[in-house]
Amino acid sequence: MFSSLLRFVREKSWLAWVLCLVPVLIYIWVFKVIALNVNYVAFDDILILGIIPEFSKADLAGKWKLLTTLFPEHRLVFSRSVILLLESTFGTVNLVWPMIIANICWALCAVVFYRAYRHLRLSVWYFVPVMWLWFNIQSFENIFWGVSSLCNFGVILFVLCALYFAVYKPGKPAISLLFAVAATFTYGNGLMVFPVIGLLFLLGGYRKQFFITVATMLAVAIIYFIDFTPITQNLDITNPQQLKEGFFGFFGFIGSWATLTAYSTPTPGLYVAVAMGMLMIATLLVLYRKQYIPLWNSIWLKGRYTNQTALFALAIGIFTGITALALTYKRIPTDTFEGMFKGRYRMYSTLWCIALYFGFLAIVQNAARRRLAPGILVATITMNLVLLHGNFAEAVNNRRAAIAQEFNARYNSDWLGIRMFSMDQQHYEKVRSYYRSDDPLAESWDPRADSVSCDSVYPPDTIGLLGDHIVISFHQEFFKPEKDYSDGAYVILKSTGHVYASQPNQAAVPLKTTLRRGMYFSKGLNASFHSANVEPGTYDIYLLVRKNGRNTIYCTGKTWEEKK
């Protein structure tokens, strides 16, 4: 019966296309309800927008310098060019626009995958897992962060295009190298695609293209490293602790999807990703075990390696591995082992999964493919939905945190974000005028006023100090959004000289509860303020409930005294 069902389904190519479309629609829906025109929590958007007033005044050499200025060790020409193009065209830069452009880049990566997949001449059913793997939201930081979106999604698109043309159009190396240059000046690891392209030409038996690639790489590297001043520490190989964290961090980076959530994973749980990374690398090595001799022979011109899709998959894996090594070398000293699992890095774990799957399609015999394909399809759909459940709440909290931080930066010149980037209030407001944020938490009241009028009283359930954080909790309501996920309940601390906001941190219920009861967010919220960011004083506590895009302020009848 099961075999009959499979035969029936295989003949319905339209159903396969529908299944390809479903994860894209989920992805678009998530983007629509969460994307907001606010500065991201790391202030990178503000710093990039700072190019606008200076660029028009600069001469040609000055413009190139502004486009290529290190940030902090990357040449973000693509990101800055997009920002300048949007501002010159529309007179403003709604931060959702670069997010849209970046996510289009992400979608175009799927087009590159499909172009490579067509060379296999397989049923479209085998492509469905690629779509469910690619359009997951675990890398949500990139999805909703204007600058990071353009950098990270842009570099992946340009790298994949460079690899595609190197594998499938080796007679036209200029196209591949052009995309490699674009990748280099989109994000730092883009430069690493050059050695991968060179290796592809070498494995394919194209010596002339190999030497052209080496010459181009050297020329681009010279340009890239002019006035290059590293500002971060590198991994110290004489430090046993750093070596240990780097070793496990490398594998954890590759297998990071296995933590299921991008944040809030206890440290012991991160080692699940380490084990998964080891397994994923071992699987790729075992999968290619019969390809080593043909690949070796092709290097020595004893015969060209003809399995192009296997070569494409291998190239993706090598580039991802180089990126993991580079990130380990650069980030371990400052971010430590836990820093290798940031949400914006997760796309490389997905990229390795794609490489594994393409290698499987290209190398495994047809009978085994047909036998394993249904299970792989179910596994990728399940993986996508589990990642959606585990990360949607984090993505919502992340965006609300951006709203709160923008509020805090506007109304507190001493706020950590302003101080951290040596930025005064006047400059911040000038740059902010380029993207014209709505500042949703300041609507319908004046945060600088001496007094706040309240609709009624809404007392919190708990107020206390947890470690270095002032935590204020409300346990009774769901605080459901109606318009979008700027809706929610924010906590306000207000004294005579300062006013701070904290986003509502809402947790997702366990997956089994979602399946059984059809709910997602748990009841109540926790708001927290890091005590280092709150100036000494006595603060009245308010609850600002934003519902259907409108604010209602409640008095709580409680105060907090910050003494430090």
Side-chain angles (χ1 to χ4, degrees):
M1 182 177 178
F2 182 67
S3 299
S4 300
L5 177 62
L6 286 180
R7 282 195 298 271
F8 173 77
V9 168
R10 285 192 189 106
E11 296 172 357
K12 309 298 181 184
S13 59
W14 64 267
L15 182 57
W17 285 114
V18 170
L19 281 178
C20 283
L21 185 61
V22 170
V24 180
L25 295 177
I26 294 173
Y27 190 95
I28 292 172
W29 172 79
V30 170
F31 181 85
K32 183 178 181 298
V33 298
I34 296 180
L36 297 168
N37 180 32
V38 293
N39 168 58
Y40 189 76
V41 292
F43 274 73
D44 287 12
D45 293 332
I46 292 291
L47 294 175
I48 287 294
L49 286 167
I51 192 177
I52 294 174
E54 302 175 43
F55 192 79
S56 60
K57 305 172 187 175
D59 58 16
L60 190 60
K63 284 179 167 59
W64 174 249
K65 185 176 181 180
L66 286 169
L67 285 172
T68 58
T69 298
L70 289 170
F71 185 91
E73 296 177 12
H74 310 289
R75 308 280 191 185
L76 305 187
V77 177
F78 175 65
S79 301
R80 290 177 172 127
S81 297
V82 170
I83 294 298
L84 289 168
L85 178 63
L86 290 172
E87 197 278 333
S88 64
T89 303
F90 302 103
T92 184
V93 183
N94 185 308
L95 291 177
V96 176
W97 298 345
M99 295 178 208
I100 292 172
I101 293 171
N103 281 280
I104 289 173
C105 289
W106 188 252
L108 289 175
C109 291
V111 176
V112 178
F113 291 139
Y114 182 68
R115 290 288 298 272
Y117 172 80
R118 287 182 61 187
H119 290 271
L120 292 168
R121 293 179 170 81
L122 295 173
S123 165
V124 69
W125 276 102
Y126 288 98
F127 187 69
V128 178
V130 175
M131 298 297 284
W132 284 90
L133 282 170
W134 196 240
F135 288 95
N136 78 74
I137 71 159
Q138 195 177 36
S139 189
F140 60 79
E141 278 186 322
N142 292 323
I143 297 173
F144 304 111
W145 181 357
V147 171
S148 187
S149 299
L150 290 168
C151 298
N152 285 298
F153 287 176
V155 74
I156 291 296
L157 174 62
F158 296 140
V159 163
L160 288 175
C161 289
L163 298 180
Y164 175 85
F165 282 100
V167 170
Y168 296 103
K169 307 288 183 182
K172 300 177 179 179
I175 302 175
S176 178
L177 295 175
L178 184 63
F179 279 114
V181 172
T184 299
F185 289 95
T186 298
Y187 216 41
N189 65 322
L191 182 62
M192 296 298 102
V193 77
F194 278 103
V196 182
I197 293 171
L199 180 62
L200 288 174
F201 286 138
L202 201 60
L203 293 174
Y206 298 95
R207 287 296 177 95
K208 178 182 176 182
Q209 285 86 333
F210 169 76
F211 288 115
I212 292 173
T213 300
V214 171
T216 305
M217 178 178 68
L218 290 174
V220 171
I222 290 171
I223 296 171
Y224 189 88
F225 288 107
I226 290 175
D227 299 328
F228 187 87
T229 305
I231 64 171
T232 58
Q233 301 177 27
N234 298 327
L235 187 142
D236 182 1
I237 60 174
T238 64
N239 186 322
Q241 179 63 23
Q242 287 190 19
L243 279 178
K244 174 188 172 184
E245 292 186 345
F247 175 80
F248 289 113
F250 170 80
F251 291 107
F253 179 88
I254 298 294
S256 59
W257 73 266
T259 61
L260 300 183
T261 57
Y263 292 100
S264 305
T265 303
T267 299
L270 299 180
Y271 285 94
V272 174
V274 173
M276 179 57 70
M278 292 178 176
L279 178 62
M280 289 165 67
I281 293 172
T283 302
L284 190 68
L285 294 174
V286 171
L287 187 63
Y288 277 78
R289 66 190 183 281
K290 295 182 180 179
Q291 310 299 310
Y292 297 149
I293 293 176
L295 288 168
W296 179 258
N297 289 337
S298 69
I299 292 177
W300 297 102
L301 296 181
K302 295 180 180 179
R304 288 185 171 180
Y305 187 77
T306 57
N307 192 334
Q308 292 177 307
T309 305
L311 208 56
F312 180 66
L314 183 62
I316 293 174
I318 292 171
F319 176 76
T320 304
I322 292 174
T323 298
L325 284 171
L327 196 74
T328 300
Y329 182 68
K330 297 298 293 183
R331 304 307 300 178
I332 283 293
T334 51
D335 288 348
T336 70
F337 169 69
E338 287 79 5
M340 298 295 289
F341 298 88
K342 293 178 180 177
R344 58 185 176 274
Y345 300 157
R346 300 303 174 106
M347 61 182 186
Y348 288 102
S349 187
T350 300
L351 202 56
W352 191 282
C353 292
I354 296 287
L356 266 179
Y357 184 64
F358 267 92
F360 164 80
L361 294 178
I363 294 171
V364 173
Q365 296 297 318
N366 185 54
R369 276 201 308 256
R370 291 171 66 89
R371 186 173 65 253
L372 296 173
I376 292 174
L377 175 58
V378 172
T380 55
I381 293 174
T382 302
M383 172 184 171
N384 182 293
L385 296 178
V386 170
L387 292 178
L388 174 65
H389 180 274
N391 291 277
F392 185 78
E394 291 277 12
V396 169
N397 290 334
N398 187 280
R399 286 283 80 191
R400 288 169 169 170
I403 293 173
Q405 177 166 285
E406 184 163 86
F407 177 92
N408 292 327
R410 289 203 73 195
Y411 300 103
N412 302 276
S413 59
D414 58 340
W415 180 250
L416 183 61
I418 298 292
R419 294 201 307 257
M420 185 191 303
F421 295 100
S422 303
M423 189 185 304
D424 60 34
Q425 204 73 31
Q426 184 179 2
H427 177 76
Y428 176 75
E429 286 295 337
K430 181 178 180 180
V431 174
R432 188 179 165 276
S433 68
Y434 292 122
Y435 66 97
R436 302 176 188 172
S437 168
D438 296 330
D439 194 6
L441 298 191
E443 294 176 5
S444 73
W445 69 295
D446 182 5
R448 294 188 177 95
D450 293 334
S451 61
V452 178
S453 59
C454 302
D455 280 40
S456 60
V457 177
Y458 198 128
D461 293 291
T462 58
I463 303 173
L465 195 63
L466 182 62
D468 294 327
H469 288 81
I470 305 162
V471 178
I472 301 167
S473 303
F474 296 82
H475 303 316
Q476 303 305 315
E477 289 288 343
F478 281 102
F479 301 107
K480 294 180 179 179
E482 294 183 5
K483 182 181 179 182
D484 54 36
Y485 281 94
S486 69
D487 281 5
Y490 300 78
V491 174
I492 307 292
L493 294 183
K494 182 169 175 54
S495 68
T496 54
H498 301 280
V499 55
Y500 302 107
S502 175
Q503 74 279 4
N505 292 301
Q506 291 185 279
V509 298
L511 180 58
K512 62 180 182 181
T513 304
T514 298
L515 296 175
R516 187 176 68 249
R517 300 180 60 184
M519 59 186 294
Y520 180 72
F521 283 107
S522 59
K523 183 185 290 187
L525 65 93
N526 291 301
S528 66
F529 302 82
H530 197 292
S531 57
N533 300 340
V534 178
E535 291 296 307
T538 301
Y539 292 86
D540 292 318
I541 301 173
Y542 299 92
L543 181 68
L544 185 154
V545 178
R546 185 169 177 80
K547 191 172 185 179
N548 197 23
R550 296 182 179 181
N551 297 331
T552 302
I553 298 178
Y554 298 93
C555 289
T556 65
K558 305 292 183 180
T559 60
W560 177 266
E561 185 176 359
E562 182 61 29
K563 298 179 180 179
K564 296 180 182 179

